[in-house]
Amino acid sequence: MKQSTILTLLIFISMGAFGQQDIKKDIALLLNAELQNENIKSGMLHVYSETRGIDMQLAESKEDSISILSPFYTASVTKMLTATSIGILKDQKKLNFEDNIAQYLTDSLMSNLHVLNGKEYSNDLTIAHLLQHTSGLPDYFTDTTIDRSPNIINQLLIDTSKSWSAQEMIEFTKQKMKPHFAPGKGYHYTDTEYVLLALIIENVSGLSLDKFFKQHIFQPLKMHSSYINLKSSAIDNSLDIAKFYASEYELSSLKSLSADWGGGGLVSTTQDLIGFLKAFNEDLIVTKETRLEMQNWVNETKGMEYGFGIRKVSIDKLTETESDLQLIGHSGSTASFLWYCPQLDIYISGTLNQLEASKSAMILVCEILKIIENK
C-alpha cells in the first residue's frame, strides 16, 4: 500500500526477545495487505502473549484518524460478556443455566414467544437454550420475515433515527417470523436470544445491562474504554468510536443501531477485550466450574462449535490443513474478533470495521497463528 493512502499507521510494540521483531514485521504486513482491499477502510489488531513476550498493537486507516486506543464496535463479541453476566448471576446463586426463562420474564413477553406448528413451546425454553442458540427462536436481525417485509438489519438504513426497545424487537419476531425447531432440537444463531438474556440480567440484578457490565466487568477489570453503544459512555476514554461500514454505508453513528444490544452493542478496545478474555480464562470473573459449563460445545458449522456465548474453532477443520491449533472466543459481523489460542498461549483481538470482511478477518487470524507457530 502506498504511504499516501494511509492517514494513520500507529504501532506499539513491546517485545521481550530480539527475535520477535520478525513476528512484528510479518504481522504488520498482513494487516497492511488487508487495507489493499478497497472495501476495507481501516483495521485494528492486538496480539498478546505474556509467556512469549509479545504485546503488539496496530491501527491503520485510509480515511479517518484512529489510534491503538480507539474504541470500536465489537458486534457479536458482546455475546461473551452477556453470557458471562449470566454466569456471574449463577455464581451469585440467583439463577441456574437450566432454569426456564419464564421465571425471569413477564407473561406478556413470554406469550406466543415460541409457537411452532400450532404448539407453544415458550415455557420449555431454558437459559441454556438461549445461551447456546438451541432455542429454535428466529433471528430478528437476519431471518426472513413471513410477509417478506424488511427484517431489522435492513430497517437500520430505512429509519436511521429509530430507537428500538427490547420489547419491540421481541414483538417483531413474534409477529413477523416463525421458530425453526422445538427447543433443544437444533442449532440456529440468533440475536433474539441475547435480547432475552439481557432482559433476564436486568430483571434478576435490578440493574440495566450497561450498569451491570460496568459494575461487574468493566470496573473490576479496569476496562475503562468500554461501554454499551447509545446506552452509556466509557469510564475513561474521550476518543471517538472507529467508523464501521456495510458496503459504502457508514453505520457507527446511526441511532437505529439501538437494535443491537445484548447480542452486539458493546464498544471496546483491543486492550480491554484481551483483558476480559484473559480474566475469564483465569477464572477471575466466573468460577472455574461455571467457565467449564459454558464450554459445553455443540456443532455450529464446519470447524466451529458453540458453547454458552463462546465459540471454539478447530483450525484443521476450518482450513482443511494439518493443525492442532484451536481458537476460543468470539467474532462479530463487523469483522471484529477476540480469540485465545491455548496451544500457543496467544490472544488476538481486532477488527476490519466492514460487514463484508468477516471471512477476511478469520483468515487474518489464522495467518497470524501460522507466523507465530513457525517462529
Side-chain angles (χ1 to χ4, degrees):
M1 177 179 295
K2 294 181 180 178
Q3 185 68 25
S4 60
T5 65
I6 303 177
L7 296 182
T8 306
L9 171 55
L10 298 173
I11 302 177
F12 171 79
I13 279 292
S14 174
M15 295 280 187
F18 178 77
Q20 300 292 354
Q21 294 301 320
D22 287 342
I23 293 177
K24 162 240 171 174
K25 179 182 177 181
D26 291 345
I27 292 176
L29 288 173
L30 283 178
L31 182 61
N32 187 273
E34 292 298 332
L35 271 289
Q36 300 283 359
N37 187 323
E38 62 180 3
N39 291 327
I40 299 176
K41 299 172 178 61
S42 66
M44 305 170 74
L45 180 64
H46 191 167
V47 183
Y48 174 81
S49 173
E50 183 176 356
T51 58
R52 293 174 178 270
I54 300 174
D55 190 2
M56 175 181 184
Q57 300 178 56
L58 303 105
E60 297 187 26
S61 177
K62 296 175 183 175
E63 300 177 356
D64 306 304
S65 178
I66 63 172
S67 83
I68 56 174
L69 301 177
S70 293
F72 60 92
Y73 201 76
T74 72
S76 284
V77 175
T78 308
K79 290 181 173 67
M80 287 192 68
L81 280 77
T82 299
T84 297
S85 296
I86 292 289
I88 290 170
L89 291 172
K90 174 186 173 292
D91 287 340
Q92 293 175 350
K93 302 187 185 307
K94 294 181 178 180
L95 53 73
N96 292 297
F97 290 143
E98 297 305 323
D99 288 346
N100 293 102
I101 67 172
Q103 297 180 51
Y104 307 107
L105 298 171
T106 63
D107 291 342
S108 60
L109 199 70
M110 290 297 302
S111 178
N112 296 318
L113 179 61
H114 191 308
V115 180
L116 182 65
N117 298 326
K119 181 177 179 179
E120 182 161 5
Y121 294 92
S122 304
N123 290 329
D124 296 332
L125 293 166
T126 67
I127 291 174
H129 288 144
L130 303 187
L131 288 166
Q132 201 166 36
H133 301 301
T134 56
S135 71
L137 290 171
D139 180 22
Y140 67 87
F141 256 126
T142 60
D143 279 358
T144 302
T145 57
I146 297 170
D147 58 4
R148 300 290 173 173
S149 59
N151 54 26
I152 291 184
I153 199 167
N154 289 314
Q155 292 192 42
L156 295 182
L157 293 173
I158 295 173
D159 186 357
T160 59
S161 63
K162 179 173 175 57
S163 181
W164 289 86
S165 69
Q167 289 72 21
E168 281 181 301
M169 292 182 279
I170 299 303
E171 286 303 318
F172 184 91
T173 66
K174 291 183 186 180
Q175 297 172 16
K176 297 283 189 178
M177 296 176 169
K178 290 183 178 180
H180 296 269
F181 47 81
K185 300 300 182 181
Y187 178 93
H188 181 68
Y189 187 92
T190 166
D191 273 57
T192 305
E193 296 161 323
Y194 276 75
V195 172
L196 294 169
L197 287 168
L199 289 172
I200 290 172
I201 291 165
E202 293 193 336
N203 292 342
V204 172
S205 71
L207 299 171
S208 62
L209 182 69
D210 55 285
K211 288 182 179 177
F212 189 95
F213 278 10
K214 182 176 181 179
Q215 181 175 321
H216 293 279
I217 299 177
F218 297 161
Q219 288 179 330
L221 300 183
K222 296 181 170 54
M223 295 173 63
H224 295 330
S225 298
S226 301
Y227 60 95
I228 296 294
N229 187 46
L230 300 171
K231 300 291 185 180
S232 59
S233 57
I235 297 171
D236 183 24
N237 191 336
S238 59
L239 295 176
D240 291 335
I241 183 174
K243 293 180 179 179
F244 73 92
Y245 299 82
S247 187
E248 74 274 17
Y249 298 103
E250 192 267 310
L251 303 181
S252 48
S253 60
L254 303 186
K255 186 175 289 187
S256 55
L257 268 183
S258 52
D260 208 6
W261 181 48
L266 175 70
V267 177
S268 191
T269 62
T270 59
Q271 185 167 334
D272 276 7
L273 290 176
I274 287 177
F276 163 78
L277 187 51
K278 189 171 186 290
F280 178 84
N281 288 336
E282 295 173 357
D283 305 322
L284 299 177
I285 314 176
V286 295
T287 62
K288 181 178 180 179
E289 178 187 10
T290 295
R291 174 176 61 83
L292 293 177
E293 282 189 69
M294 292 174 68
Q295 295 181 49
N296 173 29
W297 308 112
V298 296
N299 183 61
E300 181 177 20
T301 186
K302 180 181 177 182
M304 293 188 182
E305 298 171 270
Y306 207 90
F308 291 180
I310 189 167
R311 272 196 179 104
K312 180 171 72 172
V313 178
S314 298
I315 301 300
D316 58 343
K317 296 177 182 177
L318 183 71
T319 62
E320 297 184 343
T321 59
E322 291 187 8
S323 175
D324 63 350
L325 301 183
Q326 294 177 329
L327 290 168
I328 296 176
H330 218 291
S331 53
S333 62
T334 55
S336 56
F337 49 89
L338 173 61
W339 298 112
Y340 174 65
C341 176
Q343 292 81 11
L344 299 178
D345 189 30
I346 288 284
Y347 290 87
I348 306 175
S349 180
T351 182
L352 296 179
N353 290 315
Q354 185 74 40
L355 262 66
E356 295 81 8
S358 294
K359 183 177 180 180
S360 296
M362 191 73 251
I363 293 172
L364 172 64
V365 171
C366 291
E367 290 298 318
I368 291 170
L369 293 181
K370 188 183 300 183
I371 287 172
I372 294 170
E373 185 180 30
N374 292 333
K375 292 297 181 182

